Amino acid sequence: MSGTARPGDPDRETADRETADPDPDPDPAPAEPEGGEPACWLDRVCADCGAIQDTAPFARCARCGAPRE
């Protein structure tokens, strides 16, 4: 954009559109709840290595072989 733009110049009209504040949305959409696992997976965590097991309850850790505590 040049510093000598005058009313009606394409450069000024572009600058006016770029700096103008957009109209705020009168009815913003409600925020969606965050995703994720709703249940606690603590019963699937190996106490020794921290691996998450495929099944709960588990007898031995699939990664390190430690017995479930």
Side-chain angles (χ1 to χ4, degrees):
M1 182 172 105
S2 67
T4 59
R6 298 183 196 145
D9 285 348
D11 285 342
R12 181 180 176 124
E13 291 172 7
T14 301
D16 289 344
R17 281 193 302 268
E18 291 173 355
T19 59
D21 291 333
D23 292 332
D25 190 4
D27 294 324
E32 293 188 28
E34 290 188 25
E37 297 295 329
C40 178
W41 286 36
L42 190 57
D43 62 339
R44 294 180 179 222
V45 178
C46 172
D48 287 353
C49 72
I52 301 207
Q53 307 303 305
D54 290 334
T55 60
F58 63 95
R60 293 203 167 271
C61 175
R63 180 191 292 168
C64 71
R68 180 176 179 197
E69 293 180 3

